[in-house]
Amino acid sequence: MENTTTTDTASLSGVAQVADFWALMKPGVMYLVVFTGFSGLMVAPGAIHPFLGIIALFCIAIASGGAGAINMWYDRDIDAIMTRTKKRPIPAGRMAPDVALSFGVILSLFSVMIMGLAVNWTAAALLALANGFYVFVYTMFLKRRTPQNIVIGGAAGAFPPMIGWAAVTGTVSIESIVLFLIIFMWTPPHFWALALYKDGDYAAAKVPMLPVVSGRENTKWQMLVYTIALFPIVLAPVYFNVAGFLYGAVALIASSYFLWLNIKVLRSEEDRHARKMFFYSILYLFVLFAVLIIDRTPGILSLIGG
């Protein structure tokens, strides 16, 4: 699908600033991506030199930013329609689309090459896979074609803990796959909560998000199914000895509240419950991975010791 907007013309209403390039990288998403990548790096068995650990996290951040920039380039037509995205650099006329595309491609290629050369090629391959999945599978293929866009496309955002793990070990293991699955199963209720109170935006932009295609009631029930299925996966790190009692207790309490919020969304037509669940879901994921790190303090000390 060819995307065209008024910003494809030579005349732009403004000149791109450093802040616009930063906005292209979707820093809000990047922070969470880097943090979950950091958690994978910290809980992985073994140790990595602190400098190489910093490089690995830098590459994860840059790759995330590159994918975000390409996403904004491709989605510039629907971004111009949706109220929450119309002030982004391209639809707002502050940046030419080809500049954003070049910026995103350079960041993506640079991050993968540096990861491979400085850390290891297993982590680099996973980084390339995550980047390519987000750009080609989710952004360019799934997002505008199926209400399951978030379910399948969510895999892209679930790779960072695996990448961090691979940066330390050079391998992919069942433990790192468990960390991947936590984010993968968390993604649908997280994004569908947003879609519930932004369904008008998605409908106007003709993006087939689940509430637009299948209705709000069906969306709420599917959110509940994923939230319940998330329970055993969230507790799986304890079973695989990646985490201990502290993580297990916090995960159980935090997941129970997440489920309670989902039930409130199911029983109410008020958007405020969906909004509350969406924002809590971000805190929920942060808390899970923060406690996972805290629960593995010896791994932190090993990292610092080099």
Side-chain angles (χ1 to χ4, degrees):
M1 180 182 293
E2 183 179 355
N3 298 344
T4 57
T5 67
T6 55
T7 58
D8 287 310
T9 63
S11 61
L12 294 170
S13 61
V15 178
Q17 304 293 325
V18 172
D20 294 319
F21 285 98
W22 179 244
L24 274 183
M25 297 173 72
K26 296 189 174 182
V29 174
M30 186 195 301
Y31 296 147
L32 199 57
V33 164
V34 171
F35 183 70
T36 56
F38 176 67
S39 71
L41 187 147
M42 297 302 281
V43 304
I48 184 173
H49 191 281
F51 181 68
L52 293 181
I54 291 171
I55 290 177
L57 295 177
F58 173 76
C59 290
I60 292 172
I62 296 303
S64 172
I70 298 172
N71 171 270
M72 286 200 193
W73 163 77
Y74 191 82
D75 280 349
R76 61 192 184 274
D77 56 336
I78 60 177
D79 280 352
I81 297 171
M82 299 172 65
T83 56
R84 73 182 184 89
T85 57
K86 64 183 180 182
K87 292 183 180 180
R88 286 175 172 175
I90 301 176
R94 300 192 303 273
M95 182 178 294
D98 59 342
V99 173
L101 176 60
S102 299
F103 181 65
V105 170
I106 290 170
L107 290 185
S108 299
L109 295 177
F110 173 78
S111 60
V112 172
M113 289 304 299
I114 294 300
M115 181 73 91
L117 292 171
V119 184
N120 64 65
W121 287 104
T122 301
L126 290 172
L127 189 63
L129 180 60
N131 192 289
F133 201 95
Y134 182 75
V135 170
F136 298 108
V137 178
Y138 171 68
T139 299
M140 296 184 180
F141 183 74
L142 294 172
K143 185 173 181 178
R144 305 182 188 220
R145 288 177 170 84
T146 170
Q148 296 300 308
N149 46 20
I150 287 301
V151 176
I152 305 170
F159 275 103
M162 290 183 71
I163 298 169
W165 185 285
V168 176
T169 67
T171 64
V172 174
S173 66
I174 185 64
E175 293 89 350
S176 67
I177 293 173
V178 166
L179 300 181
F180 169 94
L181 288 174
I182 290 173
I183 302 177
F184 182 76
M185 296 299 290
W186 163 88
T187 300
H190 163 69
F191 270 105
W192 285 336
L194 171 67
L196 281 173
Y197 69 89
K198 291 290 185 180
D199 56 349
D201 261 4
Y202 288 112
K206 295 182 171 58
V207 177
M209 292 297 284
L210 194 63
V212 176
V213 175
S214 301
R216 296 171 64 86
E217 192 71 15
N218 181 270
T219 301
K220 293 175 183 180
W221 279 106
Q222 291 205 39
M223 287 168 61
L224 184 62
V225 169
Y226 275 94
T227 302
I228 293 172
L230 183 60
F231 251 88
I233 297 172
V234 164
L235 295 174
V238 178
Y239 176 80
F240 287 103
N241 295 316
V242 176
F245 174 78
L246 175 63
Y247 169 84
V250 172
L252 185 61
I253 294 170
S255 298
S256 297
Y257 186 64
F258 193 37
L259 178 60
W260 170 242
L261 288 177
N262 202 326
I263 293 172
K264 292 183 73 173
V265 169
L266 181 64
R267 297 172 62 182
S268 174
E269 288 300 317
E270 297 182 43
D271 284 344
R272 64 186 179 91
H273 295 300
R275 186 179 291 107
K276 184 175 181 179
M277 182 176 174
F278 171 73
F279 286 107
Y280 173 76
S281 68
I282 299 172
L283 175 64
Y284 169 68
L285 193 68
F286 173 81
V287 167
L288 286 180
F289 282 91
V291 177
L292 188 63
I293 295 170
I294 294 169
D295 211 16
R296 289 295 292 261
T297 302
I300 298 176
L301 297 177
S302 175
L303 177 68
I304 295 173

